[in-house]
Amino acid sequence: MSYLEYRVQTVPSGFRKILHLNWALIVLLVAVSCFGFLMLYSVAGGSMSPWAEPQMKRFVLGMFVMLAIAMVPIWFWRNMAGMAYGATLLLLLAVEFFGVTGMGAQRWIDLGFMRLQPSEVAKISLVLVLAAYYDWLDLDKVSRPQWVLPPVVLILVPTFLVLKQPDLGTAILMTAGGGIMMFLAGVHWLYFAAVIAVGIAAVYAVFVTRGTEWQLINDYQYRRIDTFLDPANDPLGAGYHITQSKIALGSGGWTGRGFMQGTQSRLNFLPEKHTDFIFTTLAEEFGFVGGISLLALYAMIIFFCVVSAMSNKDRFGSLVTLGVAAAFFLFFAVNMSMVMGLAPVVGVPLPLVSYGGSAMLVLLAAFGLVQSAHVHRPRSKR
Amino acid sequence: MKRTPRDSDESVRRISRRAMFLGGTQLAFMGVLGLRMRFMQVDQADQFRMLAEENRINIRLIPPNRGLIFDRNGEVIAENEQNYRIVVVREDAGDVDATIARLAQLIELDADELERATKELKRRSPFVPVTVADRLAWKDLTVVAVNAPALPGVTPEVGLSRHYPLGSDFSHVVGYVGPVSDYDLSKLKNPDPLLQIPKFQIGKIGIETKLETNLRGRAGTSRIEVNSAGRVMRELERQDGIAGQDLQLSVDAMLQNFVQARMEGVSGAAVVMDTHNGDLLAIGSSPSFDPNKFVRGISVPDYRELTENTFRPLADKSVQGTYPPGSTFKMVTALAALEAGVISTDETVYCGGYKQLGNRRFHCWRRGGHGHVNLQKGIFQSCDVYFYEIAERVGIEKISEMARKLGLGTRHDLPMSAIAEGLTPTKAWKRANRDIGWLVGDTLNSGIGQGFVLASPLQLAVMAGRIASGRNVLPRLIKTVNGVETEIKGGEPLDINPNNLRAVRKAMASVSNYQRGTAYRSRIVADGYQMAGKTGTSQVRNITAAERARGVTRNRDLPWERRDHALFVAFAPVSAPRISCCVVVEHGGGGSTAAAPIARDIVLQAQFGGLPPLSAYPRSQRGTIQSMRENLNLREFSLPRDGRIRT
């Protein structure tokens, strides 16, 4: 559907849009973020600085960004999709040349007032451009090979740039996110079966080429995989993160050690306790009850997104909503798997909880798109 | 472009189907995450909780106070002295070099120590305190404390270190402590974790090492919470240790001090024993050394001085040194012969200056001989021929048996280092250790305490004590442990005819009380304090027939190390013996001239519990004694003495 086909008259206008926002989703986002503030306050030893306060400010800013995006009709964002994608590619290229190196990788561009992580932006613009592509594409062409190829290219170009930074975590998330978009759009399942088969073969190849001139990934990535497979063989080296993280998580028990009583995080045994490993602090201090509550909140966010998407007759809006939900899911699923020792350590933050400006802003902006799709969804005639 | 509504519915249906599938998969994965969380946090919680505790809690040991050592009257022999030191924490000091430079302007810093400390400061974590100066005077410590504002990160500290206030008096008995060495650790199977504490002191020799387990005590523990870098966050729990047990020795520090002072300048040993219960009242070895130097870490020149000294200050001659007992052994031969019935107390043996055995002559010390000699004369004149004769009659086996009965040839059970066993030879022993079997000549030589016989001053004092008391007294060095009196062992009557013992005692009394006795010059004239004894002069060289023909070289004409050992064993008072004593002066010449006067002074001192009046000495000698006393380097004792012998 083009915007001309929207029954614009049935879509709320002006400030009435606020009443039609998906408020349940907003409440859930605020709730999850509050978990984040609490934990950042705790890992700083009971202090608003250095993490909790900036995080709150960014959250407020992010909420305004979300509302602003939500107010703008969804068809405007659909028309912007291509430009957003192009801009993102330029940003990723810029990182190559002007990026700031942090934690052994070039990931940031210093904008002066904030540090922008283009790879975060890339995830969302990829969702946008794929949704726009499949909105434009005739339904019966979706599974034809010549129409399957363009989205694959759209996915692989930014993935390649992100991989060069190097940021394995984001690269995996982008590929997976893009794949999910294609799956949702209705690409035939045989393609996915084929890709999974190739993927298995690739993993095999990665291990076989190790140590040769043809090795496919960096040594540190190999080490992370080794450590994931057996953290105990290097407890003070590379396995330290996983081991300490599991200890913190496990020692939480049913109800945890109490707010600010987590010894693992308070005594610095936990690495990256305010970013990638923040979930362990939560699990240590609030136990199983705390951890499962956060997981439930995340599940509800996904649920409301899926419900919103299924009741949305606009293909673009529906795809964007599901794409954002899928990206969001991948974020926390990978992060939690990582801290629980189910996945290797790849630098993926816990969405809305981990300390980090770009991730927070980009995520809230993405939920702005979800809100916009929700507010501007086509309504049946009464 | 336009699409029909049908397309749109179809698209919605297709997306919905796939969205349902995807949502289901996501839910399933979240279920897995939830289960994993449950498994770790509920099922395995205890295990992880334990690991977290291990991470966070360190146990730090608090060293216990080492047990004190007192003499029998409560005089402190070994104590724990406060040791002032200065530690620097790099993190607080800021510019370490500048801080140390400022510190060096205030107090004198040892260059070596400083170099070690600077290295350690660079190597260790920034919050670990490093000692830069040790064993400071109180004055230096106050200087540092007053200037604290100018010295960031510099802290004065107080620790405990062993100190021996009586200096060299007890170095051979008590020994000393020192920092634990790798060698010490290698000797232990399960070393006490305490020993890993840097600069922890452990007994190295003497009582300090033999009773280490009593003295050390048990470590206290402090449970501390540390962060991942090992920095101490807070103390969670403290459990105080158990201080080491205090020991009280049987030794009288004042008598010990007198013994050491009296023997200054000679190489030898003296042992004084209570004949009733075996308490060792003094156990001195001369020359001695300052154990405090070893505690601090002795300097190379100081140590070389000790090892290169011909008088061997590091050797404890009282229990480690063994000497041919010479004539002091004659009581053993006499008692063996009397018990065997091969001679009676009155029977005489003719001494013509030598005893012929085959084609060999065994000479008496007096060339002209002693004429007719009975037991008493044999002892107070120390006639060798008499003892050759009775030794030949009784045989070596019975002599050695008697020697062992009197405490020779056995290792007495005392907590001192390297206690010698001595030697009471038997035929079996010689067969096992020498190329040729036992000869009658060996018996003759052994009969006068020469040849193979070896005894330590301790053993000879025990021998004198057993003869004096007629009982099997065993030496005791530790009077109480932790305030509890130790068991007095032995003391049962000896299996020797009391009449024979009485005869030997009477003969010993005449040695130093009868005008013709060999130690008459060293008599005690104070009534009730008289001493009985026996001189001994043991050869350390062979006298050839040629030398004998031209006249035996006199001791003072020989180099020191070839002179005879001088020995004297004694008990007192004659009427009712309370103490026994043995004095050995290495290469001192004659027992009557070198050892007996020392023994008399010690015996008097022991009986009086302090310096005896000059009237206890023969009138003619009082002037010499007076001047000798003035030269004695005695320590002042303030504690009241117990009137051990007479009150």
Side-chain angles (χ1 to χ4, degrees):
Chain A
M1 284 196 307
S2 81
Y3 70 98
L4 293 173
E5 297 155 54
Y6 281 88
R7 295 185 188 82
V8 177
Q9 299 86 341
T10 64
V11 169
S13 60
F15 288 108
R16 287 186 58 231
K17 286 181 182 174
I18 291 172
L19 295 174
H20 291 267
L21 286 170
N22 193 343
W23 280 103
L25 202 51
I26 292 175
V27 170
L28 287 170
L29 291 176
V30 172
V32 167
S33 301
C34 284
F35 264 99
F37 306 146
L38 214 55
M39 289 342 290
L40 289 174
Y41 179 79
S42 171
V43 294
S47 164
M48 292 301 282
S49 65
W51 300 309
E53 197 184 322
Q55 181 86 342
M56 281 170 153
K57 284 181 180 160
R58 284 190 204 119
F59 179 71
V60 171
L61 176 67
M63 286 309 274
F64 280 113
V65 169
M66 180 179 91
L67 289 176
I69 292 173
M71 294 299 111
V72 177
I74 190 69
W75 48 85
F76 172 79
W77 297 119
R78 185 188 59 193
N79 295 343
M80 295 298 289
M83 270 170 71
Y85 182 78
T88 305
L89 287 188
L90 286 176
L91 278 176
L92 285 173
L93 280 170
V95 165
E96 274 297 301
F97 299 110
F98 314 111
V100 176
T101 304
M103 310 299 278
Q106 286 191 319
R107 292 180 188 176
W108 298 326
I109 293 177
D110 204 334
L111 294 184
F113 68 96
M114 72 173 288
R115 282 166 154 181
L116 186 70
Q117 230 171 309
S119 57
E120 301 286 346
V121 182
K123 273 175 266 188
I124 299 310
S125 53
L126 186 63
V127 169
L128 270 181
V129 79
L130 289 173
Y133 173 78
Y134 282 112
D135 182 47
W136 164 79
L137 192 67
D138 274 347
L139 213 51
D140 45 0
K141 291 182 188 160
V142 160
S143 289
R144 292 194 192 145
Q146 68 270 35
W147 297 110
V148 169
L149 199 60
V152 169
V153 173
L154 286 177
I155 294 168
L156 288 184
V157 170
T159 302
F160 173 75
L161 288 172
V162 167
L163 209 48
K164 278 213 62 175
Q165 290 181 358
D167 184 353
L168 183 66
T170 307
I172 289 171
L173 289 191
M174 278 171 60
T175 320
I180 288 173
M181 285 301 288
M182 292 171 71
F183 175 80
L184 289 167
V187 176
H188 200 279
W189 62 269
L190 274 176
Y191 286 100
F192 298 98
V195 167
I196 287 166
V198 169
I200 289 168
V203 167
Y204 179 73
V206 161
F207 279 96
V208 166
T209 57
R210 178 172 193 178
T212 68
E213 261 178 72
W214 309 97
Q215 92 181 16
L216 297 173
I217 55 177
N218 282 335
D219 281 338
Y220 87 94
Q221 289 161 330
Y222 274 117
R223 277 199 299 279
R224 279 183 177 182
I225 294 168
D226 286 345
T227 305
F228 160 64
L229 294 176
D230 187 9
N233 73 7
D234 187 14
L236 290 177
Y240 182 79
H241 289 197
I242 288 180
T243 310
Q244 293 302 334
S245 158
K246 281 165 78 175
I247 289 174
L249 205 119
S251 67
W254 261 109
T255 53
R257 312 200 122 192
F259 184 49
M260 309 236 298
Q261 301 298 312
T263 59
Q264 286 286 103
S265 52
R266 205 161 44 74
L267 301 173
N268 280 329
F269 287 103
L270 282 178
E272 307 269 321
K273 57 184 178 181
H274 61 293
T275 57
D276 293 358
F277 283 86
I278 196 161
F279 184 71
T280 52
T281 307
L282 174 86
E284 188 187 19
E285 297 191 352
F286 296 121
F288 180 68
V289 174
I292 212 78
S293 306
L294 183 67
L295 194 61
L297 286 177
Y298 280 141
M300 281 159 78
I301 288 176
I302 302 290
F303 175 78
F304 277 100
C305 285
V306 171
V307 167
S308 165
M310 280 167 67
S311 61
N312 194 341
K313 287 203 164 57
D314 176 30
R315 190 170 165 79
F316 177 74
S318 179
L319 279 173
V320 163
T321 305
L322 288 171
V324 168
F328 187 71
F329 168 80
L330 286 172
F331 260 121
F332 74 77
V334 170
N335 179 277
M336 283 185 177
S337 305
M338 169 178 100
V339 300
M340 289 182 207
L342 291 174
V345 175
V346 286
V348 175
L350 191 64
L352 300 178
V353 177
S354 285
Y355 179 79
S358 310
M360 177 84 129
L361 278 176
V362 169
L363 262 175
L364 289 174
F367 278 105
L369 294 172
V370 171
Q371 294 286 4
S372 173
H374 188 77
V375 171
H376 302 100
R377 68 184 184 277
R379 274 127 171 116
S380 48
K381 268 188 267 181
R382 252 172 252 153
Chain B
M1 78 178 266
K2 272 198 162 213
R3 240 182 278 120
T4 62
R6 196 197 58 81
D7 276 351
S8 178
D9 287 344
E10 172 60 24
S11 124
V12 168
R13 226 183 353 264
R14 208 185 282 186
I15 286 180
S16 291
R17 219 164 40 227
R18 295 255 166 140
M20 291 278 275
F21 178 78
L22 194 69
T25 314
Q26 290 175 346
L27 205 66
F29 193 81
M30 281 187 265
V32 169
L33 288 179
L35 284 175
R36 169 77 175 174
M37 207 152 36
R38 207 199 108 89
F39 174 66
M40 288 176 76
Q41 296 197 287
V42 179
D43 300 343
Q44 290 189 320
D46 292 342
Q47 185 192 333
F48 283 117
R49 181 68 63 99
M50 206 181 71
L51 288 171
E53 294 294 293
E54 271 175 23
N55 257 347
R56 147 181 107 97
I57 290 167
N58 266 5
I59 304 229
R60 193 161 284 195
L61 291 173
I62 310 168
N65 289 355
R66 197 173 174 84
L68 306 180
I69 302 177
F70 301 97
D71 87 330
R72 64 184 297 118
N73 299 310
E75 191 80 40
V76 177
I77 298 171
E79 62 188 358
N80 300 315
E81 179 190 52
Q82 290 198 320
N83 169 25
Y84 303 115
R85 56 174 179 257
I86 295 203
V87 297
V88 172
V89 179
R90 172 153 62 101
E91 181 181 63
D92 301 336
D95 185 350
V96 177
D97 293 334
T99 307
I100 286 180
R102 274 201 297 278
L103 188 64
Q105 286 170 359
L106 292 171
I107 58 168
E108 212 170 295
L109 294 174
D110 182 58
D112 291 346
E113 178 86 2
L114 199 60
E115 192 183 332
R116 184 198 54 75
T118 2
K119 250 185 224 156
E120 205 173 325
L121 273 168
K122 291 199 176 95
R123 189 165 48 84
R124 305 289 293 268
S125 298
F127 51 83
V128 174
V130 172
T131 308
V132 293
D134 210 3
R135 300 188 176 278
L136 289 173
W138 172 248
K139 186 175 65 70
D140 287 339
L141 197 79
T142 50
V143 168
V144 173
V146 166
N147 289 286
L151 298 164
V154 176
T155 327
E157 266 192 8
V158 185
L160 288 179
S161 174
R162 202 62 154 171
H163 179 244
Y164 303 99
L166 302 183
S168 59
D169 285 359
F170 280 90
S171 48
H172 288 121
V173 184
V174 169
Y176 51 81
V177 299
V180 182
S181 65
D182 292 340
Y183 174 70
D184 292 330
L185 288 174
S186 70
K187 279 194 300 187
L188 298 166
K189 245 193 189 140
N190 290 312
D192 190 331
L194 257 179
L195 304 184
Q196 312 281 359
I197 296 177
K199 295 203 168 176
F200 187 78
Q201 293 178 330
I202 187 178
K204 295 290 183 178
I205 65 162
I207 289 173
E208 290 275 27
T209 184
K210 293 289 174 176
L211 297 178
E212 170 72 27
T213 41
N214 296 82
L215 289 165
R216 190 188 297 160
R218 282 232 299 282
T221 50
S222 159
R223 274 156 50 87
I224 47 171
E225 189 179 76
V226 296
N227 71 1
S228 59
R231 183 199 296 269
V232 179
M233 305 307 276
R234 62 190 167 132
E235 187 175 59
L236 301 170
E237 192 188 331
R238 173 186 275 259
Q239 192 174 22
D240 284 321
I242 300 167
Q245 296 176 328
D246 292 347
L247 300 179
Q248 193 180 12
L249 306 190
S250 61
V251 178
D252 176 357
M254 195 171 169
L255 183 62
Q256 177 82 7
N257 178 242
F258 181 83
V259 167
Q260 290 294 144
R262 183 65 183 79
M263 295 193 74
E264 204 173 290
V266 302
S267 173
V271 177
V272 183
M273 190 180 79
D274 186 324
T275 58
H276 283 201
N277 55 15
D279 274 3
L280 292 169
L281 302 172
I283 181 158
S285 175
S286 178
S288 190
F289 58 90
D290 184 1
N292 293 312
K293 280 187 179 169
F294 282 84
V295 178
R296 278 165 212 160
I298 193 163
S299 69
V300 174
D302 281 357
Y303 189 69
R304 191 181 300 140
E305 200 182 302
L306 289 175
T307 50
E308 287 176 0
N309 190 328
T310 45
F311 282 7
R312 308 191 324 282
L314 292 175
D316 178 9
K317 291 156 194 139
S318 62
V319 299
Q320 294 171 12
T322 55
Y323 307 90
S327 299
T328 60
F329 193 72
K330 284 175 177 166
M331 281 82 79
V332 175
T333 313
L335 281 170
L338 289 169
E339 285 292 294
V342 296
I343 194 156
S344 72
T345 47
D346 298 326
E347 193 180 330
T348 58
V349 168
Y350 182 75
C351 167
Y354 61 87
K355 178 179 167 61
Q356 189 78 31
L357 186 75
N359 58 359
R360 207 177 145 194
R361 275 181 182 186
F362 287 80
H363 289 270
C364 186
W365 63 271
R366 183 188 248 183
R367 242 187 140 178
H370 291 93
H372 291 283
V373 179
N374 66 0
L375 171 76
Q376 181 156 5
K377 188 178 176 188
I379 286 181
F380 74 67
Q381 277 283 295
S382 204
C383 173
D384 293 336
V385 170
Y386 178 83
F387 287 96
Y388 291 145
E389 177 61 30
I390 64 170
E392 189 187 1
R393 288 188 201 174
V394 72
I396 188 62
E397 300 298 335
K398 289 209 165 135
I399 292 173
S400 282
E401 193 193 320
M402 179 56 68
R404 279 193 292 277
K405 209 178 266 183
L406 293 174
L408 306 182
T410 55
R411 187 174 282 119
H412 291 295
D413 180 27
L414 295 178
M416 289 174 72
S417 295
I419 295 179
E421 194 179 341
L423 182 59
T424 52
T426 59
K427 289 175 182 172
W429 171 84
K430 197 180 176 193
R431 264 200 305 277
N433 291 280
R434 294 291 188 273
D435 298 333
I436 50 170
W438 191 266
L439 305 170
V440 179
D442 293 331
T443 308
L444 266 50
N445 269 332
S446 301
I448 60 158
Q450 294 282 163
F452 302 118
V453 188
L454 288 173
S456 68
L458 170 75
Q459 287 170 332
L460 291 172
V462 171
M463 177 191 80
R466 289 188 183 174
I467 291 171
S469 66
R471 289 186 298 134
N472 180 37
V473 279
L474 290 169
R476 182 175 78 151
L477 184 56
I478 306 298
K479 193 170 157 64
T480 68
V481 174
N482 213 21
V484 180
E485 183 99 16
T486 55
E487 191 195 349
I488 296 173
K489 289 181 192 148
E492 62 275 7
L494 287 169
D495 180 23
I496 298 173
N497 186 337
N499 292 328
N500 293 338
L501 279 170
R502 207 171 298 129
V504 169
R505 279 202 290 267
K506 193 180 156 203
M508 284 176 75
S510 52
V511 169
S512 55
N513 291 294
Y514 179 52
Q515 215 165 346
R516 288 169 60 204
T518 49
Y520 181 65
R521 256 191 71 78
S522 299
R523 67 196 178 277
I524 293 170
V525 299
D527 232 9
Y529 292 94
Q530 280 94 344
M531 165 177 83
K534 179 74 193 80
T535 54
T537 304
S538 65
Q539 278 169 220
V540 292
R541 64 197 180 99
N542 278 322
I543 299 174
T544 58
E547 183 185 342
R548 205 171 282 283
R550 111 178 142 251
V552 175
T553 318
R554 282 149 54 132
N555 265 312
R556 60 165 172 263
D557 300 328
L558 286 168
W560 180 77
E561 69 277 3
R562 287 174 55 77
R563 290 179 200 166
D564 298 340
H565 291 315
L567 296 93
F568 194 77
V569 297
F571 63 83
V574 166
S575 46
R578 280 299 307 265
I579 58 159
S580 69
C581 173
C582 169
V583 171
V584 174
V585 179
E586 284 188 336
H587 309 294
S592 57
T593 51
I598 296 177
R600 170 176 62 179
D601 290 343
I602 292 171
V603 164
L604 272 173
Q605 177 86 10
Q607 291 190 89
F608 278 89
L611 285 177
L614 279 176
S615 60
Y617 292 93
R619 192 176 301 275
S620 59
Q621 297 171 21
R622 288 175 192 166
T624 345
I625 297 292
Q626 177 66 35
S627 61
M628 181 273 293
R629 273 188 193 182
E630 277 159 12
N631 291 325
L632 278 188
N633 194 9
L634 289 179
R635 197 182 288 272
E636 295 275 329
F637 285 90
S638 53
L639 281 170
R641 308 281 105 190
D642 63 346
R644 175 171 48 269
I645 305 297
R646 294 279 160 86
T647 40

